[in-house]
Amino acid sequence: MSIIMPVYNGENTIEDSIESCLNQSEKNFELIIVDNASTDDTKLKVRKYRKDKRIKYIYTDLRGRSRARNIGIKSAIGKYLIFLDSDDQFDHDMLNKGCSFLKDNDTYFGYAVAVEYISKNNSETNLFIPKSGEAYLMLNNQFPINSILFKNDKLKFFKENIEHNEDWLFFIENLKGKSIYIDDSFVGGKVFVHGNNTMKDLSAMISSKLYIRANYNHLFPKNYSIAFDNLKLLMYSSFLFDKQNRYSINNHFKKQRFLLKGVKQIPYINKFIRKKLESKLQVNQYNEVS
């Protein structure tokens, strides 16, 4: 069993994350901490655990969460994998429940659980339960990064050129067509939401999702739900974030973009739609724009 923890400047949170691993009822695991060029005292915080042979610390000058996770995947020797960000935590029984289920049910590729999202200063909590069924994964990421334990078997790596929704694409490429058991009765982890979370960057979240749909369209079914979601995202992108889009979709979605460009030329309609979109725009606790 391998836990992969990427970290960048995590001195204030990484100890709690490590402790949530060491407090597991399942003791047979390795924790691979991949430090991607931290400039704070992250290394010193990790050093206090150096006597525990289950913990491996890898430092790299290469920045990027996806690079760090890929380094962890390449280093992992466990039969099963799970990710944990350096500011999040596991329930003490997460590994035991996941490993036990997959050992007893070999036809399943992964075991997923509910997680609790906790806002800054612990002022608000929200429960996220993944939806069962591949159709939901095609629309939105159903798996917070620490919510799913899966087999370490011929995995495709994270795309290192994508910094937003990269985990969604990773799960689509590796879980599509696989059986995933969702244990919605067990809250297996905590995700702490703070100002540095990428989910706060709405423009990048929207444009990256369109980028993935455009450049990896072979992974997605051609149906009404996907088409409607693309149009909705294009409306947000066109009317609210036109000058801020971080990911280029080049010549994709030509018809939809041509239509929206025409609509934007009509001042009162442009103003009406923009106002409606601004009033609706929100991000739930796991990157779904509605």
Side-chain angles (χ1 to χ4, degrees):
M1 173 69 231
S2 300
I3 306 168
I4 297 172
M5 181 186 294
V7 58
Y8 174 73
N9 287 351
E11 64 177 4
N12 294 323
T13 60
I14 193 168
E15 288 178 282
D16 289 337
S17 299
I18 292 173
E19 290 292 340
S20 82
C21 297
L22 300 182
N23 291 334
Q24 290 295 302
S25 56
E26 170 62 60
K27 301 300 182 182
N28 185 22
F29 65 85
E30 63 172 355
L31 170 58
I32 304 170
I33 300 172
V34 184
D35 184 345
N36 51 327
S38 290
T39 57
D40 65 357
D41 287 334
T42 292
K43 187 175 183 178
L44 291 177
K45 298 291 185 179
V46 176
R47 187 177 293 170
K48 65 182 287 188
Y49 299 99
R50 64 183 181 274
K51 291 184 179 179
D52 194 320
K53 301 304 181 183
R54 295 173 298 177
I55 298 178
K56 300 177 182 178
Y57 175 80
I58 301 172
Y59 180 88
T60 174
D61 289 324
L62 299 175
R63 291 280 301 275
R65 200 168 45 235
S66 292
R67 290 189 182 93
R69 287 173 181 158
N70 285 340
I71 290 171
I73 292 172
K74 293 172 185 176
S75 302
I77 60 174
K79 183 178 180 180
Y80 306 114
L81 283 185
I82 193 168
F83 297 101
L84 180 67
D85 286 346
S86 62
D87 54 354
D88 298 333
Q89 297 171 23
F90 288 136
D91 177 89
H92 77 283
D93 221 16
M94 176 65 192
L95 300 188
N96 179 53
K97 281 182 173 288
C99 290
S100 296
F101 178 85
L102 292 179
K103 287 176 183 176
D104 294 340
N105 300 272
D106 190 56
T107 57
Y108 282 88
F109 187 81
Y111 169 87
V113 300
V115 298
E116 186 177 32
Y117 277 86
I118 303 174
S119 66
K120 190 177 182 181
N121 301 322
N122 297 322
S123 60
E124 183 180 353
T125 62
N126 290 281
L127 187 66
F128 183 91
I129 302 175
K131 295 183 177 71
S132 178
E134 194 169 283
Y136 289 108
L137 181 59
M138 295 297 105
L139 282 172
N140 292 294
N141 191 358
Q142 293 302 309
F143 304 110
I145 200 69
N146 60 334
S147 72
I148 181 166
L149 186 151
F150 50 93
K151 293 179 180 178
N152 183 10
D153 183 22
K154 301 177 182 178
L155 297 174
K156 294 185 178 181
F157 293 116
F158 285 86
K159 300 296 185 289
E160 297 181 1
N161 63 318
I162 304 175
E163 296 180 8
H164 302 81
N165 279 311
E166 76 288 345
D167 46 354
W168 180 48
L169 179 57
F170 174 84
F171 287 137
I172 289 175
E173 289 199 303
N174 287 291
L175 303 183
K176 186 178 181 181
K178 309 282 181 61
S179 296
I180 308 298
Y181 179 76
I182 296 179
D183 187 350
D184 56 12
S185 65
F186 176 52
V187 182
K190 295 179 180 179
V191 175
F192 292 90
V193 181
H194 49 77
N196 294 326
N197 285 63
T198 56
M199 67 181 71
K200 296 293 184 180
D201 188 348
L202 302 185
S203 171
M205 293 304 298
I206 289 170
S207 62
S208 65
K209 192 172 182 181
L210 285 168
Y211 175 88
I212 289 170
R213 288 261 177 82
N215 290 279
Y216 299 90
N217 59 355
H218 63 283
L219 297 172
F220 296 93
K222 293 177 172 57
N223 58 37
Y224 171 80
S225 296
I226 299 294
F228 181 79
D229 192 55
N230 286 340
L231 180 60
K232 178 183 68 176
L233 293 169
L234 285 164
M235 289 180 68
Y236 282 121
S237 177
S238 177
F239 283 89
L240 300 184
F241 302 119
D242 192 33
K243 304 299 182 183
Q244 306 173 39
N245 290 327
R246 181 167 177 175
Y247 297 89
S248 173
I249 54 176
N250 297 319
N251 294 320
H252 297 282
F253 310 115
K254 284 184 178 180
K255 292 180 180 179
Q256 298 95 319
R257 291 164 69 188
F258 179 79
L259 173 64
L260 293 174
K261 184 178 180 179
V263 172
K264 285 180 67 178
Q265 303 305 312
I266 307 173
Y268 71 92
I269 295 181
N270 187 334
K271 184 177 179 180
F272 175 79
I273 293 177
R274 185 182 296 272
K275 189 174 181 179
K276 284 290 186 182
L277 291 175
E278 287 174 346
S279 68
K280 286 189 64 178
L281 183 61
Q282 55 182 301
V283 173
N284 74 6
Q285 296 286 5
Y286 200 69
N287 301 348
E288 294 179 15
V289 179
S290 62

